[in-house]
Amino acid sequence: MRDYALTADVPLGPFEGTVVTAYSAKGKNAKLHASTSCTQLRTSDVVTARVPLDAAMVKRMCARCAEWGSWTRPTTALGIFLESLGGLGLLYQLRSYTAPDEDDRWDGEEVKAAADLLRSPSEDTDEDGEEALDERGIREDAERLRDRVLSTWRGAAKSLHQAQAAATRFPWLEEWAKPKLALKEWYLETLRTQAAQFVDRDGLLAAAAVAGMDDPELPVSDHAFTMLGKSQEITGELRKLWHKWRSKAEYGWGDPSERSYIAYTLLHRFRSNRKGYDQALAGAQALIESWEEQARAAAAENSAPARLVTVRLPEIRDESTRRGDDGFLDALDPWTVGVLVTCLTDADWGHRTVTLRVPALIADRLTADGGMAVAEAPAEGEDWLTAPGTSRQPSCIQPGIFDDTPVFDRRPVTGEHLRALHTALPHADQFYIVFSPSGGVETLPLAVVETRLAQGWQGAIVAGVSDLPASVIEPWVTEVGPRPPSEGGIWPQYIHDVQDARFGEELGLAAGARSAAWLAYDDRDRERNLRLLAMARGVPDLRTLDGGRDHNGHARTLPYAVWRGVLTDRQLDLEPFERPTEDRWSGGSGIPLGVLADVQAYAVNADLRYEGKGHSPLCRHSRERGVVDGDDLLTVSDLVGRDDFDWCSRCGGYAARRLTDTQLSYYRAAHRLHDIAQQLDTGRRGYDRIDVDVLSSRLSELADWHPIGEENWYTHGSRRWRRIVHDLQSKAEEAHRPGAQ
């Protein structure tokens, strides 16, 4: 078993004794596996058992499953705990960065020699002799060693942060992990001391002074810059020179000689043999030297005593981990890293908080940069973790936070719990069913839950997308079926005949499920899309599913395929429900909306007070983004009888929620009734060819129509429905009389 796999000595805390499912070959001492797909399980006769999680069970785990195995659903508290331990989690971090790497190590003398060499000014030379090449090679080796030391220090600091944070989330691990963390702290301090030798403290102070310098008065009238052009052009070029020098000078701690090349950027458009080139170059070098002198003078004036400040480093973001950028120390510029390695006096890497003793000039720049939270260090004996927004004992992950206990035993969720979920599972469910006294049972994006928690909301998680019962979801997945072959098209043909039993099926729930499943990338996404669809169907207002955007600008919302499952991509034909008009070719039949009245329709820009056409949230003109918080919510009753909406001709202007079986049945019945009314219109062409017996039979069926599950349908709408049917039956009887046509 590898030294960063789960071992029997690791405390399991409240999860000890939790029953998990294990797979093994036959035999009393056979290795236990987390999945039947484990490559170490080499038998066709697999035994499935429910086993308590304890030290004895851990000893029987196969090496691969002890490190990477998923012994329970990942989004449960136990799943998060095991995920935080295994893989690249706590057990791996505790054994990383504890001593120099055997394949890439250096000693203190090498570091000191390289640092002394880099502190000496580099001499610009165009010589290509063997001695000059050797000197450049030695300097490049020193620079590579500097970069390796700083990179290793950043990696060790990140590893210590992750290890301490994980141990803090699970308090029963703290005592067990303390000796291992102490070893990591010792190695990190060794690296910091080595890295500090490469940093010039005076250079840090001068860079801080540069950051506070105002834009200087530029010598536009100096004859040395005449070759640059007219006065306006000279001003622009000198301003560019100032900004280039300033950005370089405040970026790190380098010697001014490292910035000497910037003078040449002023003349990049001119050849060196052009008249006035040497004068302009000399003027640029003198100008830059004057700025360097101003920075040194400002740094020298900083006579205020050093200050103790606490700095809270940027938080690791789950989105950034997908790009390989940890968002921790790698996100800091070289100047800030130089301040950390030279001025550090104390640190709690687990909470991303360090204490620095810095000159006032550097403290002011740290505060002004705004990338980190900076505050005066607390007085001796005080605990800086008691500051607002911090906690000495963060909420730990334990049974009852997520879907792993009866709902009655659920514990309130906190922001710390969700951060632990993000850390252990960057791709965790983004939508959850939650309960709170203020809102009852709701389906919300995780981002919305986090926002509410920051505002004092109290509630508990009921279930995530992956927690929905497989006994209900899997038969539904089978019923929907896989995406059919694309030859000839996968979507049913649109039916125009209202008498066809398939009329309007593209508006119903079954068609929505096919859209969500068949537009998925693969079988795993197919089931996930249907799980999301099941959760979204019960949401009263789809705008609450807008989770905003993440740190990369990506929308945190339902996948487009799921939106296609929730909303119709075809408009409702509302002609049967319009009032009758004198124009018999476009008038309606005045059929009551009934169960369709409250069907929701979502639109982008349905407000007539604002310029621009209204679009469906699924329209290409709205980037097929789905419903967001600022969209307009209408109902079908708002749409009937209105002709003043300025809808998009491509999408129709809105997307309605898919019709339930009862609503779809009524929609079909209304269209059939409207079709009969049109046929019985004596002024329409073809009236003399109608089959009255067939129409009478259809009217009899429609007279007995009622919503599914409601045998006694009696409302104001039902009375109007029966009155319309009765009137049409009278017309049919009249048409049946001899000579009526």
Side-chain angles (χ1 to χ4, degrees), residues 1-64:
M1 184 174 290
R2 283 186 280 194
D3 60 357
Y4 47 85
L6 181 62
T7 54
D9 66 310
V10 178
L12 300 175
F15 300 109
E16 185 164 4
T18 302
V19 177
V20 298
T21 301
Y23 306 92
S24 68
K26 288 186 176 180
K28 184 176 181 181
N29 297 317
K31 291 292 184 180
L32 300 178
H33 304 267
S35 169
T36 55
S37 62
C38 177
T39 57
Q40 303 300 315
L41 182 57
R42 303 185 181 95
T43 180
S44 57
D45 191 8
V46 178
V47 176
T48 303
R50 298 282 287 169
V51 184
L53 181 63
D54 53 23
M57 187 262 190
V58 172
K59 289 180 180 178
R60 290 185 58 193
M61 288 182 181
C62 90
R64 185 178 182 279

Side-chain angles (χ1 to χ4, degrees), residues 257-273:
S257 62
E258 298 178 10
R259 300 187 284 272
S260 60
Y261 73 91
I262 297 177
Y264 291 89
T265 64
L266 182 68
L267 305 170
H268 67 93
R269 297 181 292 126
F270 306 100
R271 293 188 301 178
S272 59
N273 60 356

